Amino acid sequence: MRYVARACLIALLTGCAAKDNAMDITALQDFAARYTTAWGSQDAASVAAFYAEDGSLKINDGAPAVGRDAIIAAAQGFMSALPGMALFMDSIKIVGTGAEYFWTLTGTNTGPGGTGNAVWVSGYEQWTFTSDGLIAQSLGHFPVGEYEKQLRGDT
């Protein structure tokens, strides 16, 4: 089943990279919508499936999570801290041969050792893609200080 889902995803995404490297906005919007759903699924592996086997996710100034196992761990950190989190796609736009994905995250820190405080933060990711339409590199940006302040409940 997972192989079939991956094959379907690749077939859909190959429309993102046309022969002239122009991206198809409709396919990109669908890709971003599915990625958004994956983040809200509490299944970190479903997030990593959007990345190439050797893809990377870098969050702010942190070390990049390279490879699907590392991306699973990075996604799981957010999912564990915010078990009921929701991610909303604010917008997606083509930038050169890549894309910028803008999002808003909401949730309550009820995971292990959680504070019970609600968080609401917006950010964006800069994506580059492989030739088969998966994310090769994502550079994520969000106000980590504000996120941590909300987790602590500082006013």
Side-chain angles (χ1 to χ4, degrees):
M1 179 71 173
R2 188 173 194 164
Y3 175 77
V4 172
R6 179 169 162 72
C8 290
L9 178 64
I10 289 171
L12 171 71
L13 295 178
T14 54
C16 287
K19 290 180 181 137
D20 63 357
N21 283 339
M23 298 186 99
D24 177 285
I25 190 65
T26 302
L28 180 61
Q29 288 170 331
D30 184 65
F31 178 86
R34 291 172 183 255
Y35 182 78
T36 302
T37 299
W39 271 99
S41 72
Q42 287 297 306
D43 178 8
S46 69
V47 172
F50 285 85
Y51 288 79
E53 291 285 340
D54 62 348
S56 68
L57 168 62
K58 182 175 180 181
I59 302 171
N60 291 332
D61 294 326
V66 179
R68 288 192 179 144
D69 288 343
I71 293 166
I72 288 169
Q76 190 61 57
F78 287 95
M79 292 174 178
S80 294
L82 307 166
M85 80 174 199
L87 191 73
F88 302 93
M89 177 172 52
D90 299 329
S91 65
I92 183 80
K93 67 180 182 177
I94 296 169
V95 178
T97 58
E100 288 184 349
Y101 165 73
F102 295 83
W103 51 263
T104 296
L105 177 146
T106 64
T108 303
N109 183 221
T110 57
T115 61
N117 295 321
V119 297
W120 178 95
V121 66
S122 293
Y124 71 100
E125 296 177 35
Q126 297 168 290
W127 291 339
T128 57
F129 293 97
T130 63
S131 61
D132 62 351
L134 296 174
I135 299 171
Q137 180 182 51
S138 175
L139 301 175
H141 310 274
F142 77 100
V144 69
E146 181 60 28
Y147 174 80
E148 291 172 351
K149 179 179 170 183
Q150 290 177 33
L151 284 178
R152 289 189 308 267
D154 297 348
T155 54

